[in-house]
Protein backbone atom coordinates (compact mmCIF):
# COMPACT_ATOMS: atom_id res chain seq x y z
CA UNK A 1 0.00 0.00 0.00
CA UNK A 2 1.10 3.59 -0.56
CA UNK A 3 2.19 5.62 2.46
CA UNK A 4 3.18 8.65 0.46
CA UNK A 5 0.50 10.82 2.10
CA UNK A 6 0.98 9.38 5.59
CA UNK A 7 4.26 11.13 6.34
CA UNK A 8 3.95 12.99 9.62
CA UNK A 9 5.39 13.68 13.04
CA UNK A 10 3.11 12.05 15.60
CA UNK A 11 3.58 13.83 18.94
CA UNK A 12 2.17 11.84 21.84
CA UNK A 13 1.67 13.92 24.98
CA UNK A 14 1.31 11.81 28.11
CA UNK A 15 2.98 8.99 26.23
CA UNK A 16 3.98 7.09 29.38
CA UNK A 17 0.41 6.79 30.67
CA UNK A 18 -1.72 3.68 30.84
CA UNK A 19 -3.73 4.47 27.69
CA UNK A 20 -0.56 5.18 25.71
CA UNK A 21 1.10 1.89 26.64
CA UNK A 22 -2.03 -0.28 26.45
CA UNK A 23 -3.61 1.10 23.30
CA UNK A 24 -1.83 3.90 21.48
CA UNK A 25 1.70 2.53 21.20
CA UNK A 26 0.46 -0.97 20.17
CA UNK A 27 -1.74 0.70 17.53
CA UNK A 28 1.21 2.68 16.17
CA UNK A 29 3.36 -0.46 16.22
CA UNK A 30 0.79 -2.33 14.11
CA UNK A 31 0.39 0.60 11.70
CA UNK A 32 4.15 0.58 11.22
CA UNK A 33 4.28 -3.21 10.90
CA UNK A 34 1.47 -3.22 8.31
CA UNK A 35 3.04 -0.46 6.24
CA UNK A 36 0.63 2.39 6.99
CA UNK A 37 3.24 4.75 8.43
CA UNK A 38 5.63 6.39 6.04
CA UNK A 39 9.21 5.25 6.52
CA UNK A 40 10.45 8.64 7.72
CA UNK A 41 7.52 9.38 10.04
CA UNK A 42 8.46 10.01 13.65
CA UNK A 43 6.64 9.13 16.89
CA UNK A 44 7.68 11.66 19.50
CA UNK A 45 6.65 10.84 23.05
CA UNK A 46 6.33 13.79 25.42
CA UNK A 47 6.16 12.99 29.14
CA UNK A 48 7.45 14.15 32.53
CA UNK A 49 9.95 11.38 33.22
CA UNK A 50 13.65 12.20 32.82
CA UNK A 51 14.69 9.44 30.44
CA UNK A 52 17.22 9.15 27.67
CA UNK A 53 15.98 8.17 24.22
CA UNK A 54 17.47 4.68 24.65
CA UNK A 55 15.73 4.24 28.01
CA UNK A 56 12.46 5.31 26.41
CA UNK A 57 12.86 2.80 23.57
CA UNK A 58 13.59 0.02 26.08
CA UNK A 59 10.47 0.95 28.06
CA UNK A 60 8.30 0.95 24.92
CA UNK A 61 9.63 -2.47 23.98
CA UNK A 62 8.91 -3.80 27.48
CA UNK A 63 5.31 -2.50 27.36
CA UNK A 64 4.67 -3.79 23.84
CA UNK A 65 5.74 -7.27 24.91
CA UNK A 66 3.42 -6.95 27.92
CA UNK A 67 0.32 -5.73 26.10
CA UNK A 68 0.56 -7.20 22.60
CA UNK A 69 -0.53 -10.78 21.89
CA UNK A 70 2.52 -13.03 22.00
CA UNK A 71 2.33 -13.73 18.26
CA UNK A 72 2.22 -10.03 17.34
CA UNK A 73 5.61 -8.90 18.59
CA UNK A 74 8.82 -9.74 16.75
CA UNK A 75 12.27 -8.22 17.14
CA UNK A 76 12.44 -7.69 13.37
CA UNK A 77 9.29 -5.55 13.37
CA UNK A 78 10.38 -3.67 16.47
CA UNK A 79 13.75 -2.89 14.90
CA UNK A 80 11.89 -0.96 12.18
CA UNK A 81 9.51 0.61 14.68
CA UNK A 82 12.16 1.84 17.12
CA UNK A 83 13.76 3.96 14.40
CA UNK A 84 10.65 6.17 14.56
CA UNK A 85 10.74 6.59 18.35
CA UNK A 86 11.94 9.81 19.99
CA UNK A 87 11.51 11.17 23.49
CA UNK A 88 11.24 14.64 25.05
CA UNK A 89 10.79 15.36 28.75
CA UNK A 90 8.29 18.14 29.49
CA UNK A 91 6.69 19.18 32.79
CA UNK A 92 3.06 19.89 31.88
CA UNK A 93 2.41 21.73 35.15
CA UNK A 94 5.16 24.30 34.47
CA UNK A 95 5.37 23.89 30.68
CA UNK A 96 9.15 23.60 30.89
CA UNK A 97 10.95 21.62 28.24
CA UNK A 98 9.13 22.74 25.09
CA UNK A 99 12.33 24.24 23.67
CA UNK A 100 13.71 20.70 23.17
CA UNK A 101 10.48 19.70 21.43
CA UNK A 102 10.67 22.79 19.23
CA UNK A 103 14.22 21.96 18.12
CA UNK A 104 13.21 18.39 17.27
CA UNK A 105 10.07 19.37 15.32
CA UNK A 106 11.74 22.26 13.49
CA UNK A 107 14.01 19.73 11.75
CA UNK A 108 11.04 18.93 9.48
CA UNK A 109 8.94 22.05 9.77
CA UNK A 110 6.92 21.34 6.61
CA UNK A 111 5.55 17.98 7.76
CA UNK A 112 2.02 17.25 8.84
CA UNK A 113 1.96 17.18 12.61
CA UNK A 114 -0.43 15.23 14.86
CA UNK A 115 -0.55 16.30 18.51
CA UNK A 116 -2.24 13.55 20.52
CA UNK A 117 -3.19 14.79 24.01
CA UNK A 118 -3.35 11.63 26.13
CA UNK A 119 -3.27 13.66 29.34
CA UNK A 120 -5.74 14.99 31.87
CA UNK A 121 -7.94 17.67 30.24
CA UNK A 122 -6.61 20.18 32.79
CA UNK A 123 -3.38 20.24 30.75
CA UNK A 124 -5.01 20.72 27.34
CA UNK A 125 -5.00 24.53 27.44
CA UNK A 126 -1.41 24.75 28.70
CA UNK A 127 -0.10 22.32 26.08
CA UNK A 128 -1.87 24.16 23.24
CA UNK A 129 -0.67 27.52 24.53
CA UNK A 130 2.94 26.31 24.72
CA UNK A 131 2.76 24.85 21.22
CA UNK A 132 1.51 28.21 19.97
CA UNK A 133 4.22 30.18 21.81
CA UNK A 134 6.88 27.96 20.23
CA UNK A 135 5.30 28.44 16.80
CA UNK A 136 4.63 24.69 16.56
CA UNK A 137 1.06 24.97 15.26
CA UNK A 138 0.90 25.11 11.46
CA UNK A 139 -1.92 24.88 8.93
CA UNK A 140 -1.21 21.17 8.59
CA UNK A 141 -1.18 20.56 12.36
CA UNK A 142 -3.91 18.58 14.08
CA UNK A 143 -4.77 17.95 17.72
CA UNK A 144 -6.48 14.86 19.16
CA UNK A 145 -8.44 15.26 22.40
CA UNK A 146 -9.04 12.22 24.57
CA UNK A 147 -12.14 12.14 26.74
CA UNK A 148 -13.39 13.15 29.19
CA UNK A 149 -14.13 16.55 27.67
CA UNK A 150 -15.60 18.07 30.81
CA UNK A 151 -18.11 16.95 33.42
CA UNK A 152 -21.02 18.96 32.03
CA UNK A 153 -21.83 21.42 29.26
CA UNK A 154 -20.18 24.38 31.00
CA UNK A 155 -16.86 22.65 31.74
CA UNK A 156 -16.84 21.07 28.28
CA UNK A 157 -17.30 24.47 26.66
CA UNK A 158 -14.45 25.89 28.76
CA UNK A 159 -12.07 23.13 27.62
CA UNK A 160 -13.07 23.41 23.97
CA UNK A 161 -12.91 27.21 23.96
CA UNK A 162 -9.36 27.10 25.30
CA UNK A 163 -8.25 24.67 22.60
CA UNK A 164 -10.07 26.74 19.94
CA UNK A 165 -7.91 29.73 20.85
CA UNK A 166 -5.00 27.91 19.20
CA UNK A 167 -6.50 25.36 16.77
CA UNK A 168 -9.31 25.78 14.26
CA UNK A 169 -12.32 23.48 14.62
CA UNK A 170 -11.32 21.51 11.51
CA UNK A 171 -7.93 20.79 13.14
CA UNK A 172 -9.51 19.30 16.30
CA UNK A 173 -10.20 15.56 16.52
CA UNK A 174 -12.30 14.58 19.56
CA UNK A 175 -11.85 10.85 19.82
CA UNK A 176 -14.39 8.19 20.77
CA UNK A 177 -12.71 4.80 20.38
CA UNK A 178 -16.05 3.01 19.93
CA UNK A 179 -16.42 4.67 16.54
CA UNK A 180 -13.23 2.98 15.36
CA UNK A 181 -14.68 -0.53 15.65
CA UNK A 182 -15.33 -2.18 12.28
CA UNK A 183 -18.80 -3.35 13.30
CA UNK A 184 -19.80 0.15 14.40
CA UNK A 185 -18.72 1.53 11.02
CA UNK A 186 -20.56 -1.33 9.37
CA UNK A 187 -23.84 0.03 10.76
CA UNK A 188 -23.82 2.65 8.02
CA UNK A 189 -22.97 0.10 5.35
CA UNK A 190 -25.75 -2.16 6.61
CA UNK A 191 -28.33 0.62 6.70
CA UNK A 192 -27.48 2.60 3.59
CA UNK A 193 -26.28 0.00 1.07
CA UNK A 194 -28.98 -2.67 1.54
CA UNK A 195 -32.43 -1.97 0.18
CA UNK A 196 -33.75 -4.75 2.42
CA UNK A 197 -33.34 -2.53 5.50
CA UNK A 198 -34.08 0.91 4.05
CA UNK A 199 -37.86 0.60 4.31
CA UNK A 200 -37.79 -1.40 7.54
CA UNK A 201 -35.77 1.21 9.44
CA UNK A 202 -38.57 3.21 11.07
CA UNK A 203 -41.44 3.10 13.55
CA UNK A 204 -43.53 1.29 10.92
CA UNK A 205 -41.56 -1.91 11.49
CA UNK A 206 -39.29 -1.50 14.52
CA UNK A 207 -40.73 -1.96 18.01
CA UNK A 208 -37.72 -0.75 20.00
CA UNK A 209 -33.92 -0.61 20.08
CA UNK A 210 -31.57 -1.70 22.87
CA UNK A 211 -27.97 -0.55 23.30
CA UNK A 212 -25.90 -2.33 25.95
CA UNK A 213 -22.27 -1.81 26.95
CA UNK A 214 -21.52 -4.13 29.87
CA UNK A 215 -18.13 -4.65 31.52
CA UNK A 216 -17.18 -7.50 33.83
CA UNK A 217 -14.36 -5.47 35.39
CA UNK A 218 -14.77 -2.94 38.17
CA UNK A 219 -13.17 0.45 38.62
CA UNK A 220 -9.81 -1.39 38.94
CA UNK A 221 -7.86 1.28 40.79
CA UNK A 222 -9.29 4.21 38.78
CA UNK A 223 -11.27 5.43 41.81
CA UNK A 224 -10.14 9.04 41.53
CA UNK A 225 -11.28 9.31 37.93
CA UNK A 226 -14.41 7.20 38.25
CA UNK A 227 -15.69 8.96 41.38
CA UNK A 228 -15.73 12.18 39.37
CA UNK A 229 -17.44 10.81 36.27
CA UNK A 230 -19.42 7.62 36.85
CA UNK A 231 -21.26 5.58 34.23
CA UNK A 232 -23.30 8.49 32.89
CA UNK A 233 -20.38 10.73 32.04
CA UNK A 234 -17.91 7.95 31.27
CA UNK A 235 -20.10 5.88 28.92
CA UNK A 236 -23.64 7.12 28.27
CA UNK A 237 -22.98 10.73 27.28
CA UNK A 238 -20.42 9.73 24.64
CA UNK A 239 -20.12 6.07 23.58
CA UNK A 240 -23.77 5.04 23.83
CA UNK A 241 -25.17 8.27 22.40
CA UNK A 242 -22.80 7.94 19.45
CA UNK A 243 -24.10 4.41 18.80
CA UNK A 244 -27.65 5.71 19.10
CA UNK A 245 -26.90 8.42 16.53
CA UNK A 246 -25.60 5.89 14.00
CA UNK A 247 -28.71 3.76 14.47
CA UNK A 248 -31.18 6.66 14.25
CA UNK A 249 -29.63 9.16 11.81
CA UNK A 250 -31.13 9.94 8.43
CA UNK A 251 -29.15 8.97 5.31
CA UNK A 252 -26.43 11.60 4.79
CA UNK A 253 -26.22 13.13 1.33
CA UNK A 254 -22.64 11.78 1.02
CA UNK A 255 -19.85 10.17 3.04
CA UNK A 256 -18.29 13.57 3.58
CA UNK A 257 -17.38 13.98 7.25
CA UNK A 258 -19.58 17.00 7.84
CA UNK A 259 -22.55 15.50 6.00
CA UNK A 260 -22.43 12.51 8.35
CA UNK A 261 -21.91 14.60 11.44
CA UNK A 262 -24.73 16.96 10.43
CA UNK A 263 -27.15 14.02 10.60
CA UNK A 264 -25.82 12.86 13.96
CA UNK A 265 -26.32 16.34 15.41
CA UNK A 266 -29.93 16.33 14.19
CA UNK A 267 -30.56 13.14 16.19
CA UNK A 268 -29.04 14.61 19.35
CA UNK A 269 -31.15 17.74 18.99
CA UNK A 270 -34.34 15.66 18.74
CA UNK A 271 -33.72 13.61 21.90
CA UNK A 272 -36.71 14.20 24.14
CA UNK A 273 -35.63 15.91 27.39
CA UNK A 274 -36.28 13.86 30.52
CA UNK A 275 -38.01 16.15 33.01
CA UNK A 276 -37.45 15.88 36.78
CA UNK A 277 -40.93 14.39 37.19
CA UNK A 278 -39.98 11.61 34.71
CA UNK A 279 -36.55 10.77 36.11
CA UNK A 280 -37.78 7.96 38.35
CA UNK A 281 -39.73 6.22 35.55
CA UNK A 282 -37.22 6.78 32.70
CA UNK A 283 -33.84 6.28 34.38
CA UNK A 284 -32.05 3.88 36.73
CA UNK A 285 -28.72 4.36 38.47
CA UNK A 286 -26.93 1.66 40.42
CA UNK A 287 -23.74 0.76 42.23
CA UNK A 288 -22.27 -2.73 42.59
CA UNK A 289 -21.77 -4.45 45.92
CA UNK A 290 -19.54 -7.40 46.77
CA UNK A 291 -20.10 -10.52 44.70
CA UNK A 292 -18.43 -12.93 42.33
CA UNK A 293 -16.89 -12.11 38.97
CA UNK A 294 -15.17 -14.55 36.61
CA UNK A 295 -15.26 -17.19 39.37
CA UNK A 296 -13.57 -14.99 41.97
CA UNK A 297 -14.94 -13.05 44.93
CA UNK A 298 -14.72 -9.30 44.39
CA UNK A 299 -15.37 -6.35 46.72
CA UNK A 300 -18.13 -3.82 46.26
CA UNK A 301 -17.40 -0.42 44.74
CA UNK A 302 -17.25 1.29 48.12
CA UNK A 303 -15.53 -1.63 49.86
CA UNK A 304 -12.27 -0.86 48.07
CA UNK A 305 -12.24 2.84 48.99
CA UNK A 306 -11.53 4.70 52.19
CA UNK A 307 -14.46 7.08 51.68
CA UNK A 308 -18.01 6.25 50.66
CA UNK A 309 -18.94 7.37 47.15
CA UNK A 310 -22.37 8.00 45.66
CA UNK A 311 -21.04 7.46 42.13
CA UNK A 312 -23.12 5.28 39.84
CA UNK A 313 -21.40 2.28 38.26
CA UNK A 314 -24.54 1.39 36.28
CA UNK A 315 -27.00 3.48 34.31
CA UNK A 316 -30.07 2.58 32.26
CA UNK A 317 -32.25 5.09 30.46
CA UNK A 318 -35.26 5.07 28.15
CA UNK A 319 -34.53 7.53 25.34
CA UNK A 320 -37.19 8.87 22.97
CA UNK A 321 -36.50 10.62 19.67
CA UNK A 322 -39.02 13.23 18.62
CA UNK A 323 -39.06 13.00 14.85
CA UNK A 324 -41.20 11.34 12.18
CA UNK A 325 -39.02 8.26 11.70
CA UNK A 326 -38.78 7.26 15.36
CA UNK A 327 -41.98 8.52 16.93
CA UNK A 328 -43.15 5.87 19.41
CA UNK A 329 -39.96 3.78 19.23
CA UNK A 330 -38.09 3.80 22.56
CA UNK A 331 -34.31 3.34 22.67
CA UNK A 332 -33.25 1.58 25.87
CA UNK A 333 -29.60 2.19 26.71
CA UNK A 334 -27.60 0.76 29.61
CA UNK A 335 -24.01 0.48 30.73
CA UNK A 336 -22.42 -0.92 33.86
CA UNK A 337 -19.31 -2.26 35.54
CA UNK A 338 -18.97 -5.64 37.30
CA UNK A 339 -21.73 -7.07 35.15
CA UNK A 340 -22.21 -10.78 34.57
CA UNK A 341 -20.19 -10.71 31.36
CA UNK A 342 -18.38 -8.35 29.06
CA UNK A 343 -20.81 -7.61 26.28
CA UNK A 344 -21.54 -4.70 23.96
CA UNK A 345 -24.37 -4.96 21.47
CA UNK A 346 -27.16 -3.17 19.66
CA UNK A 347 -30.48 -5.01 19.29
CA UNK A 348 -33.11 -3.88 16.78
CA UNK A 349 -36.36 -5.55 17.80
CA UNK A 350 -38.91 -5.71 14.97
CA UNK A 351 -42.64 -5.61 15.54
CA UNK A 352 -44.81 -8.68 16.05
CA UNK A 353 -46.43 -10.30 13.01
CA UNK A 354 -49.94 -8.80 12.60
CA UNK A 355 -51.51 -12.25 12.14
CA UNK A 356 -50.31 -15.86 12.41
CA UNK A 357 -51.49 -18.63 10.08
CA UNK A 358 -49.80 -21.33 12.14
CA UNK A 359 -51.38 -23.67 14.69
CA UNK A 360 -51.93 -22.14 18.09
CA UNK A 361 -49.09 -24.02 19.80
CA UNK A 362 -46.77 -22.87 17.00
CA UNK A 363 -48.07 -19.33 17.02
CA UNK A 364 -47.13 -18.99 20.67
CA UNK A 365 -43.57 -20.05 19.90
CA UNK A 366 -43.02 -17.47 17.17
CA UNK A 367 -40.29 -15.06 18.25
CA UNK A 368 -40.19 -11.54 16.87
CA UNK A 369 -37.35 -10.90 14.44
CA UNK A 370 -34.20 -9.24 15.76
CA UNK A 371 -31.12 -7.73 14.22
CA UNK A 372 -28.29 -8.13 16.74
CA UNK A 373 -25.07 -6.17 16.21
CA UNK A 374 -22.37 -7.41 18.60
CA UNK A 375 -19.41 -5.12 19.25
CA UNK A 376 -17.51 -7.06 21.90
CA UNK A 377 -16.04 -9.39 22.94
CA UNK A 378 -16.52 -10.70 19.38
CA UNK A 379 -17.79 -8.54 16.53
CA UNK A 380 -20.70 -9.97 14.53
CA UNK A 381 -24.07 -9.18 12.97
CA UNK A 382 -26.95 -11.65 13.21
CA UNK A 383 -30.48 -11.51 11.80
CA UNK A 384 -32.73 -13.76 13.87
CA UNK A 385 -35.59 -15.28 11.87
CA UNK A 386 -38.21 -18.01 12.21
CA UNK A 387 -37.67 -21.20 10.20
CA UNK A 388 -39.29 -24.63 9.85
CA UNK A 389 -37.86 -27.49 11.91
CA UNK A 390 -37.00 -30.33 9.47
CA UNK A 391 -39.13 -33.44 9.90
CA UNK A 392 -42.42 -35.20 9.08
CA UNK A 393 -44.61 -33.88 11.90
CA UNK A 394 -48.29 -33.39 11.12
CA UNK A 395 -48.15 -29.69 11.85
CA UNK A 396 -45.37 -27.34 10.81
CA UNK A 397 -42.95 -26.77 13.70
CA UNK A 398 -40.98 -23.53 13.84
CA UNK A 399 -37.73 -22.50 15.45
CA UNK A 400 -35.63 -19.36 15.65
CA UNK A 401 -32.45 -19.44 13.56
CA UNK A 402 -29.55 -17.01 13.17
CA UNK A 403 -28.61 -15.64 9.77
CA UNK A 404 -25.05 -14.38 10.11
CA UNK A 405 -24.28 -11.24 8.15
CA UNK A 406 -20.54 -11.30 8.69
CA UNK A 407 -17.59 -10.97 6.38
CA UNK A 408 -16.03 -14.29 5.36
CA UNK A 409 -13.77 -15.72 8.04
CA UNK A 410 -10.12 -14.89 7.63
CA UNK A 411 -7.01 -15.58 9.65
CA UNK A 412 -5.93 -12.00 9.10
CA UNK A 413 -5.69 -9.98 12.30
CA UNK A 414 -8.50 -7.51 12.90
CA UNK A 415 -7.19 -3.98 13.47
CA UNK A 416 -7.90 -2.41 16.85
CA UNK A 417 -10.23 0.60 16.93
CA UNK A 418 -7.35 2.93 17.79
CA UNK A 419 -5.47 1.85 14.66
CA UNK A 420 -8.34 3.06 12.48
CA UNK A 421 -8.75 6.31 14.39
CA UNK A 422 -5.04 7.17 14.52
CA UNK A 423 -4.71 6.45 10.81
CA UNK A 424 -7.71 8.67 10.08
CA UNK A 425 -6.09 11.53 11.99
CA UNK A 426 -2.86 11.03 10.04
CA UNK A 427 -4.92 11.07 6.82
CA UNK A 428 -6.82 14.17 8.03
CA UNK A 429 -10.17 12.37 7.84
CA UNK A 430 -12.46 13.62 10.67
CA UNK A 431 -15.50 11.45 9.84
CA UNK A 432 -15.27 9.26 12.96
CA UNK A 433 -14.55 12.14 15.35
CA UNK A 434 -16.98 14.36 17.23
CA UNK A 435 -17.61 17.90 16.11
CA UNK A 436 -18.06 20.62 18.73
CA UNK A 437 -21.82 20.93 18.21
CA UNK A 438 -22.16 17.14 18.67
CA UNK A 439 -20.40 17.27 22.03
CA UNK A 440 -22.48 20.20 23.21
CA UNK A 441 -25.79 18.70 22.07
CA UNK A 442 -25.01 15.48 23.96
CA UNK A 443 -24.23 17.40 27.14
CA UNK A 444 -27.42 19.49 26.84
CA UNK A 445 -29.46 16.28 26.93
CA UNK A 446 -27.38 14.58 29.65
CA UNK A 447 -26.97 17.49 32.08
CA UNK A 448 -30.57 17.53 33.43
CA UNK A 449 -30.36 13.79 34.15
CA UNK A 450 -27.06 14.16 35.99
CA UNK A 451 -28.43 17.09 37.97
CA UNK A 452 -31.55 15.13 38.94
CA UNK A 453 -29.40 12.21 40.09
CA UNK A 454 -27.18 14.51 42.14
CA UNK A 455 -30.36 15.87 43.75
CA UNK A 456 -31.29 12.25 44.54
CA UNK A 457 -34.55 12.29 42.55
CA UNK A 458 -33.70 8.66 41.77
CA UNK A 459 -32.34 6.62 44.68
CA UNK A 460 -29.15 4.64 44.10
CA UNK A 461 -29.98 0.97 43.49
CA UNK A 462 -27.53 -1.68 44.62
CA UNK A 463 -26.67 -4.74 42.53
CA UNK A 464 -24.43 -7.68 43.26
CA UNK A 465 -21.17 -7.83 41.31
CA UNK A 466 -21.39 -10.47 38.59
CA UNK A 467 -25.10 -9.92 37.83
CA UNK A 468 -26.92 -8.04 35.07
CA UNK A 469 -27.41 -4.90 37.13
CA UNK A 470 -30.14 -3.74 39.50
CA UNK A 471 -33.63 -5.24 39.21
CA UNK A 472 -34.90 -1.71 38.63
CA UNK A 473 -33.37 -1.84 35.13
CA UNK A 474 -35.50 -4.90 34.38
CA UNK A 475 -38.55 -2.98 35.59
CA UNK A 476 -37.58 0.02 33.45
CA UNK A 477 -38.13 -1.93 30.25
CA UNK A 478 -40.76 -4.34 31.65
CA UNK A 479 -43.14 -1.48 32.42
CA UNK A 480 -43.40 -1.05 28.64
CA UNK A 481 -44.04 -4.79 28.10
CA UNK A 482 -40.50 -5.50 26.91
CA UNK A 483 -37.38 -7.27 28.19
CA UNK A 484 -33.61 -6.98 27.83
CA UNK A 485 -31.80 -9.24 25.39
CA UNK A 486 -29.73 -11.09 28.02
CA UNK A 487 -29.05 -14.32 26.14
Amino acid sequence: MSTRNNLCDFVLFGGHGDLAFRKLMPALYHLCKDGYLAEKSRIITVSRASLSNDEHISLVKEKLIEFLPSNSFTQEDFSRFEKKLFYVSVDFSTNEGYKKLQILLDEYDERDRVNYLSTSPKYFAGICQSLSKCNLIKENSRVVLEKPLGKDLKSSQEINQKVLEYFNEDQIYRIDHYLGKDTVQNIMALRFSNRLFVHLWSSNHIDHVQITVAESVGAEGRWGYYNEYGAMRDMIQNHLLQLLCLMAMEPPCSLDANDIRDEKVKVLKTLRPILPAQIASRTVRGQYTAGSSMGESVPGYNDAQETQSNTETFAAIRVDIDNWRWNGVPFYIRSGKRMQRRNSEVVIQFKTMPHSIFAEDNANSIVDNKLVIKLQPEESIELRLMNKIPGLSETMKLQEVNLELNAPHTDKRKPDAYERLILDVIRANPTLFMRLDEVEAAWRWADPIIESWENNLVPMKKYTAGTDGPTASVQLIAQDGRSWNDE
Side-chain angles (χ1 to χ4, degrees):
M1 75 278 308
S2 172
T3 58
R4 182 174 54 87
N5 297 322
N6 294 349
L7 177 63
C8 76
D9 280 339
F10 189 94
V11 188
L12 179 53
F13 292 87
H16 284 174
D18 185 66
L19 174 67
F21 283 136
R22 283 181 180 272
K23 293 293 185 179
L24 305 182
M25 204 56 81
L28 289 163
Y29 170 83
H30 278 301
L31 289 175
C32 175
K33 178 180 178 179
D34 295 339
Y36 288 104
L37 295 184
E39 183 180 352
K40 294 185 179 180
S41 288
R42 297 186 296 178
I43 300 167
I44 302 169
T45 293
V46 181
S47 191
R48 295 180 178 183
S50 297
L51 297 178
S52 68
N53 211 62
D54 288 342
E55 289 173 327
H56 167 65
I57 291 172
S58 295
L59 180 60
V60 170
K61 180 179 179 179
E62 174 188 325
K63 294 297 183 178
L64 286 175
I65 292 173
E66 179 181 354
F67 292 119
L68 283 173
S70 57
N71 61 348
S72 292
F73 181 90
T74 68
Q75 183 57 49
E76 181 182 358
D77 291 324
F78 184 76
S79 295
R80 290 194 296 271
F81 183 61
E82 69 174 322
K83 294 175 182 177
K84 303 181 185 301
L85 300 180
F86 295 84
Y87 183 76
V88 176
S89 176
V90 172
D91 187 337
F92 299 136
S93 59
T94 62
N95 291 331
E96 293 181 4
Y98 278 93
K99 190 65 179 177
K100 297 176 185 176
L101 179 63
Q102 181 182 12
I103 293 170
L104 187 59
L105 290 174
D106 282 349
E107 291 179 20
Y108 302 100
D109 187 56
E110 75 290 349
R111 281 187 184 176
D112 280 16
R113 193 172 296 156
V114 174
N115 300 285
Y116 197 117
L117 308 192
S118 181
T119 68
S120 167
K122 67 182 179 182
Y123 297 123
F124 287 1
I127 292 172
C128 293
Q129 182 182 46
S130 295
L131 289 173
S132 178
K133 282 184 176 180
C134 295
N135 197 30
L136 295 177
I137 301 176
K138 312 292 183 180
E139 286 187 10
N140 56 355
S141 293
R142 298 181 276 286
V143 62
V144 183
L145 306 183
E146 267 287 351
K147 76 176 187 71
L149 288 179
K151 295 179 61 180
D152 51 26
L153 176 61
K154 181 181 178 182
S155 57
S156 176
Q157 287 176 327
E158 289 172 354
I159 292 170
N160 281 293
Q161 285 167 3
K162 287 291 186 182
V163 176
L164 282 164
E165 290 179 14
Y166 307 104
F167 289 90
N168 298 325
E169 173 62 24
D170 61 5
Q171 294 176 297
I172 301 173
Y173 290 67
R174 301 172 186 87
I175 197 166
D176 184 333
H177 72 271
Y178 263 68
L179 297 184
K181 295 178 180 291
D182 265 342
T183 310
V184 172
Q185 297 169 55
N186 203 24
I187 290 172
M188 289 213 304
L190 190 73
R191 287 192 56 193
F192 303 132
S193 67
N194 294 289
R195 190 176 183 87
L196 171 67
F197 292 115
V198 169
H199 299 295
L200 296 179
W201 217 263
S202 72
S203 59
N204 293 330
H205 301 283
I206 293 176
D207 178 78
H208 72 279
V209 178
Q210 301 178 22
I211 302 176
T212 297
V213 177
E215 299 176 278
S216 59
V217 298
E220 306 300 348
R222 300 170 67 222
W223 312 114
Y225 164 81
Y226 207 80
N227 281 336
E228 277 195 75
Y229 291 91
M232 185 67 184
R233 294 183 174 100
D234 186 47
M235 299 297 294
I236 301 286
Q237 184 271 342
N238 40 75
H239 299 328
L240 275 76
L241 284 189
Q242 284 293 310
L243 291 174
L244 184 148
C245 286
L246 291 174
M247 298 305 302
M249 63 188 276
E250 294 297 314
C253 58
S254 77
L255 290 179
D256 176 78
N258 280 324
D259 288 341
I260 291 172
R261 295 190 290 185
D262 285 346
E263 297 303 331
K264 288 162 65 181
V265 170
K266 289 178 185 177
V267 173
L268 292 169
K269 287 183 176 180
T270 57
L271 298 184
R272 184 184 303 169
I274 299 179
L275 305 176
Q278 300 170 318
I279 286 291
S281 62
R282 299 290 180 92
T283 75
V284 174
R285 61 177 180 141
Q287 187 183 89
Y288 66 83
T289 58
S292 177
S293 177
M294 311 299 288
E296 296 182 1
S297 296
V298 294
Y301 184 73
N302 276 328
D303 296 339
Q305 302 186 77
E306 294 182 0
T307 58
Q308 296 297 291
S309 168
N310 203 35
T311 299
E312 78 283 353
T313 61
F314 176 95
I317 303 173
R318 170 179 166 150
V319 184
D320 291 275
I321 300 174
D322 288 331
N323 62 25
W324 282 19
R325 181 182 292 271
W326 297 112
N327 181 50
V329 179
F331 285 67
Y332 300 97
I333 63 178
R334 61 175 174 168
S335 180
K337 288 190 176 295
R338 281 287 184 232
M339 302 283 277
Q340 185 174 28
R341 59 197 172 101
R342 178 172 177 255
N343 177 48
S344 296
E345 66 178 21
V346 179
V347 179
I348 299 90
Q349 178 77 58
F350 292 97
K351 289 186 173 181
T352 301
M353 289 290 292
H355 173 71
S356 177
I357 63 172
F358 299 96
E360 188 172 334
D361 60 335
N362 248 327
N364 292 335
S365 68
I366 293 179
V367 180
D368 297 335
N369 300 143
K370 293 178 185 177
L371 181 64
V372 181
I373 302 171
K374 293 184 177 293
L375 308 177
Q376 64 181 26
E378 298 295 331
E379 297 186 11
S380 68
I381 300 176
E382 297 175 353
L383 182 58
R384 299 184 181 176
L385 306 170
M386 296 307 297
N387 192 38
K388 179 185 179 296
I389 299 176
L392 301 176
S393 60
E394 185 175 351
T395 58
M396 188 181 296
K397 302 292 185 181
L398 303 178
Q399 65 180 350
E400 186 182 32
V401 296
N402 293 343
L403 179 62
E404 294 189 358
L405 308 178
N406 305 319
H409 176 74
T410 175
D411 292 330
K412 188 176 180 181
R413 183 189 64 86
K414 285 187 177 180
D416 180 78
Y418 274 102
E419 292 174 51
R420 159 58 62 187
L421 295 172
I422 288 174
L423 187 57
D424 277 357
V425 179
I426 292 171
R427 291 170 169 170
N429 178 6
T431 303
L432 299 177
F433 298 83
M434 290 181 286
R435 207 168 57 190
L436 180 60
D437 51 352
E438 274 186 83
V439 176
E440 294 187 348
W443 277 121
R444 286 193 180 93
W445 177 80
D447 271 359
I449 300 172
I450 295 171
E451 183 179 353
S452 294
W453 286 359
E454 290 176 345
N455 291 333
N456 209 33
L457 295 187
V458 176
M460 182 73 74
K461 304 293 184 180
K462 300 296 184 179
Y463 65 99
T464 304
T467 65
D468 287 323
T471 55
S473 68
V474 177
Q475 297 164 359
L476 173 74
I477 191 170
Q479 68 187 354
D480 297 332
R482 303 178 174 102
S483 61
W484 292 107
N485 183 62
D486 284 328
E487 300 174 1

